[in-house]
Amino acid sequence: MLLLPMAIFASFYSFKNHRYMFKRLAACLYFLLAITVLVVIEVVITCVSYEKVSVIYHHPKNSTFSYGYCFYAGWTVFLVYLVTAALFLAYSRKRKGDKALDDEDMDDEHIMGR
């Protein structure tokens, strides 16, 4: 229940602070969301196959069955979360050289301790 708000918060926070660690955190949370949606879809498939075999009055012998639009919407949500996680992971690399953030782009000071 809390995975989606945490993923959205990490996403917006990674847009504000350009550190690669926050983008990787958002990617991991979106991967967890994708895995959760996949598990729910697999549970639905398993329940329907069990009912076809064991609960005959739900699915008579010559009846047809289709999952409907919600099932395909679930697969679409799974793919969207997977692509979002892959994009956050792809754009989470460290910036080096000319691509590194300048001092005026950084929000706070860091003491290196050298």
Side-chain angles (χ1 to χ4, degrees), residues 4-5 15 19 23 27 42-43 53 68-70 94 96 100 102 113:
L4 185 59
F15 292 143
R19 307 250 191 276
K23 291 180 184 177
E42 290 298 321
V43 165
V53 174
Y69 296 111
C70 292
K94 288 185 180 181
K96 297 179 182 176
D102 295 334

Side-chain angles (χ1 to χ4, degrees), residues 77-89:
V77 167
F78 168 72
L79 291 175
V80 166
Y81 286 154
L82 202 61
V83 167
T84 304
L87 287 175
F88 268 104
L89 198 60

Side-chain angles (χ1 to χ4, degrees), residues 2-86:
L2 291 176
L3 276 178
L4 185 59
M6 286 176 17
I8 291 172
F9 177 75
S11 301
F12 283 118
Y13 193 74
S14 71
F15 292 143
K16 183 182 174 202
N17 294 328
H18 302 287
R19 307 250 191 276
Y20 69 97
M21 181 183 66
F22 299 126
K23 291 180 184 177
R24 289 183 183 173
L25 174 68
C28 288
L29 288 173
Y30 278 112
F31 272 128
L32 283 174
L33 277 169
I35 290 171
T36 305
V37 171
L38 181 66
V39 166
V40 169
I41 290 171
E42 290 298 321
V43 165
V44 168
I45 291 172
T46 305
C47 287
V48 168
S49 359
Y50 173 76
E51 284 183 356
K52 282 182 181 179
V53 174
S54 300
V55 186
I56 306 225
Y57 58 88
H58 273 254
H59 301 283
K61 201 169 200 176
N62 293 326
S63 66
T64 59
F65 176 78
S66 66
Y67 286 105
Y69 296 111
C70 292
F71 182 76
Y72 301 116
W75 278 108
T76 305
V77 167
F78 168 72
L79 291 175
V80 166
Y81 286 154
L82 202 61
V83 167
T84 304

